[in-house]
Amino acid sequence: MAKQRVYVETTVVSYFTAKPARDLIVAGHQSATRELWPHLGIEYESYVSALVYEEARKGDPDQAGMRLEAIRLFRMLDIDDESRKLAEKIIAGKGVPGEYPEDALHIAVAAVNGMDVVITWNFAHLNNPFTRMMVRQLVENEGYGCPELCSPEELLEVDK
């Protein structure tokens, strides 16, 4: 059986490389991300996009270096016109707020490239039930399969 294709969104990379948090919820997210990380290279075909790379290299140079090193072995997906057009349709259809075009682009790149799953800690604009329903409808209306949007914790449950 073919490995599932997983798109690793930037928030996941950030949680993986971040300094340990004092906030219990954030610390739990970091722990789940670190637990999942080795599985990404073994049990899944893991991908990032040029957008993840661009976002990961921003900010503190030391942290950026760690984020870039963490994604070094993942396959890179380009952002093409097809992905940009789908992202525009996701925004126009109110699947993702217009002020967060990068979030729509993550979904679009994953959909255009046939990803099975997008893993993210972005509950505000990507991984919540209302966004998932709306995005699925918009993406499928454009003729693409919509990847499942889930957190690292949810993906860990699949492995158990």
Side-chain angles (χ1 to χ4, degrees):
M1 183 173 156
K3 291 182 179 181
Q4 297 290 303
R5 296 165 46 98
V6 175
Y7 179 94
V8 182
E9 189 263 340
T10 316
T11 58
V12 176
V13 180
S14 295
Y15 274 78
F16 177 68
T17 61
K19 296 174 184 166
R22 290 183 158 193
D23 179 282
L24 291 177
I25 293 172
V26 174
H29 290 174
Q30 289 174 324
S31 177
T33 303
R34 290 185 182 119
E35 185 179 342
L36 175 65
W37 204 263
H39 299 271
L40 294 176
I42 297 168
E43 294 160 31
Y44 300 100
E45 278 185 39
S46 298
Y47 296 80
V48 293
S49 68
L51 177 58
V52 172
Y53 180 84
E54 184 181 307
E55 291 175 337
R57 57 178 230 168
K58 292 180 180 176
D60 176 84
D62 291 334
Q63 287 293 311
M66 287 190 284
R67 288 189 295 270
L68 293 173
E69 179 61 25
I71 62 175
R72 180 176 57 84
L73 297 177
F74 295 157
R75 295 175 185 167
M76 177 78 68
L77 301 172
D78 288 326
I79 300 169
D80 59 11
D81 289 340
E82 189 177 357
S83 298
R84 286 185 184 89
K85 287 177 187 171
L86 181 57
E88 289 171 8
K89 299 240 180 182
I90 292 169
I91 291 169
K94 309 265 190 250
V96 171
E99 48 286 17
Y100 302 100
E102 297 85 4
D103 292 343
L105 193 52
H106 283 299
I107 295 167
V109 168
V112 166
N113 286 282
M115 297 294 108
D116 298 303
V117 173
V118 172
I119 54 171
T120 181
W121 285 116
N122 182 341
F123 294 112
H125 307 120
L126 292 177
N127 188 17
N128 67 66
F130 303 108
T131 299
R132 286 192 300 253
M133 285 187 310
M134 181 66 77
V135 165
R136 177 168 306 287
Q137 182 177 0
L138 292 165
V139 169
E140 290 176 352
N141 286 349
E142 293 303 314
Y144 300 95
C146 187
E148 293 297 324
L149 301 169
C150 72
S151 71
E153 286 175 329
E154 291 171 297
L155 198 54
L156 276 171
E157 289 300 317
V158 172
D159 291 331
K160 292 185 179 179

